[in-house]
Amino acid sequence: MKLSGSYLGWAHMTRFSLASKILTTVVSTFTSYYIHLWASCFLDKPLSSPIPSFDGRVVQYPSFQNLRDYLNWRQVDCHINNLYNTTFWALVQKEGMLPTEAEETLKGSVAADKNEILFSRFGMNYNDEPEQFRKGSVMYRNYENETTGLLNTAPLKAQQGEPSRTQKEKGKKRRRKAEITLQCTDLIRDEFWNARPWLFSDK
């Protein structure tokens, strides 16, 4: 496989940091399953070169509030990009504009302008678009007994403390029983986090 701009690669598991190990494991596993399941999702479109590939990132923040701020920014960015793309492709595919013409039409526009174009020209209400595209997707470990907790903005290390060996074993058992849940939901408001306090603690 030829990758433009790449001249040398070397890997050895013991040389990776924990963050790199998590990142490479998640991305490679996701890519493998994506390709493996392609035929069952796209029955009339055989997979061909260039084959799908994905990148990713692991971001480490010193406090839960820093993490919240980052995810808030990512979700807002998702909305901004999707609103632009929805309007752009409506102009191209439904009105027959050239891509350069659509770009020129949207140059300098704000959200209200794009919403007006979608509604007045195509009868589309952006708020009716699937949340998957407007808000993105979040995956998390979901436990049966969801409790309400108060948000804590102290550093993560201080929040968590150093659990005992027994607590660590109990934590491992709980994680094995937890279901991996996929949701397209609002991460900016507090409701999501208040209902799932274990996401920002070791409890």
Side-chain angles (χ1 to χ4, degrees), residues 57 69-85 126 133-136 188:
R57 70 188 67 179
D69 292 341
Y70 172 76
L71 293 174
N72 290 351
W73 167 67
R74 295 299 308 207
Q75 191 158 66
V76 169
D77 197 48
C78 172
H79 158 71
I80 292 172
N81 291 335
N82 187 64
L83 177 58
Y84 180 92
N85 290 333
Y126 181 73
F133 305 120
R134 292 188 290 115
K135 297 180 179 180
I188 298 175

Side-chain angles (χ1 to χ4, degrees), residues 1-2 7 35 53 64 68 74 76 88 137 146 190:
M1 180 173 64
K2 185 177 181 180
Y7 298 95
I35 293 174
S53 62
F64 174 68
R68 282 284 306 271
R74 295 299 308 207
V76 169
F88 176 88
S137 304
E146 293 192 359
D190 290 341

Side-chain angles (χ1 to χ4, degrees), residues 11-26:
H12 191 274
M13 186 58 69
T14 58
R15 299 298 181 185
F16 289 145
S17 67
L18 178 59
S20 297
K21 183 177 180 180
I22 292 172
L23 176 60
T24 54
T25 300
V26 170

Side-chain angles (χ1 to χ4, degrees), residues 26-83:
V26 170
V27 173
S28 61
T29 302
F30 179 86
T31 305
S32 298
Y33 271 95
Y34 188 92
I35 293 174
H36 175 68
L37 296 172
W38 177 277
S40 63
C41 298
F42 303 101
L43 303 178
D44 58 346
K45 193 172 183 180
L47 190 61
S48 59
S49 183
I51 60 173
S53 62
F54 302 90
D55 65 358
R57 70 188 67 179
V58 172
V59 184
Q60 296 173 296
Y61 287 108
S63 73
F64 174 68
Q65 188 58 51
N66 290 143
L67 175 62
R68 282 284 306 271
D69 292 341
Y70 172 76
L71 293 174
N72 290 351
W73 167 67
R74 295 299 308 207
Q75 191 158 66
V76 169
D77 197 48
C78 172
H79 158 71
I80 292 172
N81 291 335
N82 187 64
L83 177 58

Side-chain angles (χ1 to χ4, degrees), residues 92-134:
V92 172
Q93 296 176 344
K94 297 185 177 183
E95 199 163 285
M97 282 189 179
L98 295 173
T100 52
E101 294 174 328
E103 288 178 4
E104 188 63 30
T105 299
L106 296 176
K107 185 181 297 183
S109 64
V110 296
D113 301 326
K114 298 181 184 73
N115 279 303
E116 178 61 24
I117 290 174
L118 289 174
F119 187 76
S120 62
R121 298 194 191 185
F122 309 107
M124 297 172 60
N125 185 336
Y126 181 73
N127 291 326
D128 293 335
E129 292 296 298
E131 288 190 332
Q132 175 185 1
F133 305 120
R134 292 188 290 115

